[in-house]
Amino acid sequence: LFRSMQIGQCGNQVGYEMFDVICRDCLSTSGLCSKKENEFYQASCNERFFSEEESGVPVARAVLIDMEPKVINQALSMATRSGRWKYDQRSHFSQKQGSGNNWANGYCVHGPRHKEPIMELVRKEVEKCDRLSGFFTTMSRSEEH
């Protein structure tokens, strides 16, 4: 089982799109494979990327992290409004103030300040797994050339 780590504005926006595509793929009745292969693929995707609550709605196996709540709130509401899947309402971390698009501020100031609650959130998500295969992390990255 995978746990998705969606970090920052880019990570949360890309992560939302990824889960939405996987869910649409899992609900599709047509595929490029035989019916049996398509059913196996859908079951595998559902098991790896979603858990299911009592209502039958798939819940993304994800932790959403951003210092500003705006993008996380958007992702949570868009997933729920889709009616196809949603995020766990307890699997996200945000604060009232962001890093102002300043990576160094987020890394040097907010990261150390909020490390413990974020790690606790990740630990709780990992403990929901019978067998953790790994983390699928989405975030922006920049390099100097």
Side-chain angles (χ1 to χ4, degrees):
L1 303 175
F2 288 96
R3 286 290 185 233
S4 171
M5 302 283 293
Q6 298 176 197
I7 303 171
Q9 179 176 349
C10 178
N12 282 294
Q13 290 171 334
V14 170
Y16 165 80
E17 293 296 334
M18 177 196 74
F19 277 107
D20 200 51
V21 167
I22 291 170
C23 189
R24 275 188 275 133
D25 223 18
C26 289
L27 296 173
S28 174
T29 56
S30 63
L32 300 175
C33 308
S34 69
K35 183 178 179 183
K36 184 177 179 180
E37 290 169 325
N38 198 41
E39 288 171 353
F40 177 77
Y41 167 75
Q42 290 171 333
S44 295
C45 283
N46 272 325
E47 180 187 1
R48 284 185 179 94
F49 295 105
F50 295 96
S51 59
E52 200 169 285
E53 62 177 23
E54 290 177 17
S55 67
V57 176
V59 179
R61 297 179 189 274
V63 175
L64 292 73
I65 302 167
D66 198 351
M67 291 302 115
E68 186 179 352
K70 181 181 174 184
V71 174
I72 289 178
N73 289 338
Q74 285 175 338
L76 293 171
S77 67
M78 287 189 314
T80 302
R81 277 184 292 157
S82 77
R84 294 184 302 268
W85 66 282
K86 66 181 188 176
Y87 287 106
D88 185 335
Q89 292 292 322
R90 299 166 304 222
S91 297
H92 62 88
F93 179 87
S94 66
Q95 295 295 298
K96 288 189 177 16
Q97 76 179 61
S99 300
N101 279 338
N102 184 332
W103 179 87
N105 188 32
Y107 184 79
C108 297
V109 177
H110 294 297
R113 184 180 301 152
H114 302 295
K115 179 181 177 182
E116 291 303 316
I118 291 170
M119 293 304 290
E120 180 67 12
L121 180 61
V122 172
R123 183 189 63 77
K124 285 179 182 178
E125 283 301 306
V126 167
E127 286 181 352
K128 293 177 185 178
C129 295
D130 291 334
R131 59 189 193 286
L132 179 67
S133 297
F135 292 99
F136 187 86
T137 305
T138 54
M139 60 189 236
S140 65
R141 183 166 177 239
S142 178
E143 287 187 35
E144 276 189 49
H145 293 282

